[in-house]
Structures are given as C-alpha cells and as structure tokens.
Amino acid sequence: NNVLDATMSWTKLVRDKDDLEGIPDDSLEAAAEAAKAKDLEGWLFTLEYPSFFPVSTYCSNRELRREMYNAYVTRASEIGPDDGKFDNTEKMEEILKYRHELAQLLDFNNYAELSLATKMAENTAEVLTFLTDLADKSIAQGKEEIAVMKEFAAAELGIDDLQAWDSAFVGEKLRQHK
C-alpha cells in the first residue's frame, strides 16, 4: 500500500523546541519518543494522523505547517518530497479498469451503476443531481466561513494570505477565540 508506505516513510526532525510552539505536551512527548527510538535528538514527526494533526492544528510555526501539509497531501502521488517514489497512479488505474470490467460482467454500464445497485439512489443522474444541489447549498456558507477565517487570521494572527496549511490552525484559534 503506497499511501501507508508514504505516510510512514516521510519524517521531519525538529531540533529547536521554539519551532514547536503551541503543540500540546502529549504530542511533543510522543514526537520526542519517536526521535529517541531512532537514536535522534529532538522531536520526530511523521504523516501519521496522531503526529500530523497536532502540528497542523496547534503549531504556530507556519513553515513547519506548510512543509508537513505539502508532504501529507502529495503522499502516494507523482509529486511531493518523495519524488513519486510511492506513486499510486498505476495501481489506481488498474483498480478502475477492474471495477469497470466487473460492472460490465454483471450487466452494468459502469462501476457507479454497480455501486448504486445496493444503495438508495436509483441511478447515477440522481447522485449527480444530489451532489450538485449539495454543492450549490454549501458554497455560500463555505465562502462566508473562509471570509471570517481570513479576516480573523489577518487581524489576530498576522496572516494576510491564508493558505491551505493554515486552515486547521486558524480554525482552531478562531474556535478558541469564540
């Protein structure tokens, strides 16, 4: 499983505790233990959720959040810090091919129709209509929430260009503020 391999192979060793401001003590202890287990000095972080989440949500160090976010969202892909080492593209294409073949063997036009055979939706058009309606209803609220986060980030945290790697951190700070 390339996603698991990529998640477990990427690490970030931090030697200066000042770079970890805001991370809860229990997460810092776990990172220190992870470093110690590899005979390293400092705090070792991985892309596993118990390690990634506290950095993305609580760490004041924006650069560390950015680095971990970029590694996390590009794991098992053709891009990112592992330069495609764990790229899942071929496996995904193979899975899609076999799903399509299975659907056709069972007299369905495609895998989506096969998947729907045991679900509440009648057909793929109904699913697309539902998803489009859901998106239409959600976009305005999402834009409003982003605007609030941008305003709070600029006014309270000095972040004038809110980025994806800031969202969990700013969201948590906003939640605490409210």
Side-chain angles (χ1 to χ4, degrees):
N1 181 325
N2 284 352
V3 174
L4 184 58
D5 292 342
T7 300
M8 296 182 71
S9 75
W10 186 92
T11 59
K12 174 67 177 179
L13 180 65
V14 177
R15 296 187 192 273
D16 185 350
K17 190 172 184 179
D18 290 343
D19 290 337
L20 305 175
E21 180 184 333
I23 298 176
D25 290 340
D26 60 335
S27 299
L28 290 176
E29 290 171 21
E33 287 297 318
K36 194 177 204 180
K38 295 197 177 221
D39 293 324
L40 299 170
E41 300 250 344
W43 297 265
L44 188 65
F45 295 92
T46 70
L47 298 179
E48 294 177 74
Y49 195 76
S51 182
F52 172 79
F53 176 79
V55 174
S56 66
T57 306
Y58 303 108
C59 187
S60 298
N61 183 335
R62 190 175 190 208
E63 179 56 29
L64 180 58
R65 291 194 319 266
R66 183 200 60 77
E67 184 177 353
M68 288 192 69
Y69 173 85
N70 285 337
Y72 188 81
V73 298
T74 59
R75 68 197 189 285
S77 74
E78 75 281 7
I79 59 174
D82 286 318
D83 293 326
K85 180 178 176 184
F86 302 106
D87 184 11
N88 265 348
T89 303
E90 285 183 25
K91 289 179 181 179
M92 292 168 54
E93 288 171 351
E94 187 177 353
I95 289 168
L96 292 173
K97 176 185 152 199
Y98 289 135
R99 284 182 172 182
H100 184 73
E101 287 177 13
L102 174 63
Q104 299 221 309
L105 285 170
L106 297 172
D107 274 341
F108 291 94
N109 290 320
N110 53 54
Y111 188 78
E113 288 181 5
L114 169 61
S115 177
L116 288 172
T118 60
K119 296 185 174 83
M120 289 176 58
E122 294 291 323
N123 54 52
T124 54
E126 187 178 320
V127 172
L128 289 174
T129 299
F130 170 77
L131 292 175
T132 301
D133 289 347
L134 181 62
D136 289 344
K137 292 173 183 173
S138 302
I139 287 173
Q141 182 177 349
K143 285 181 178 181
E144 184 180 319
E145 289 175 8
I146 289 171
V148 168
M149 286 180 68
K150 283 181 176 181
E151 184 179 316
F152 177 80
E156 300 294 327
L157 304 173
I159 299 174
D160 293 325
D161 61 333
L162 186 68
Q163 299 292 323
W165 52 84
D166 297 318
S167 62
F169 175 75
V170 172
E172 177 61 18
K173 291 293 186 185
L174 180 58
R175 185 191 67 76
Q176 291 173 4
H177 179 77
K178 286 183 175 183

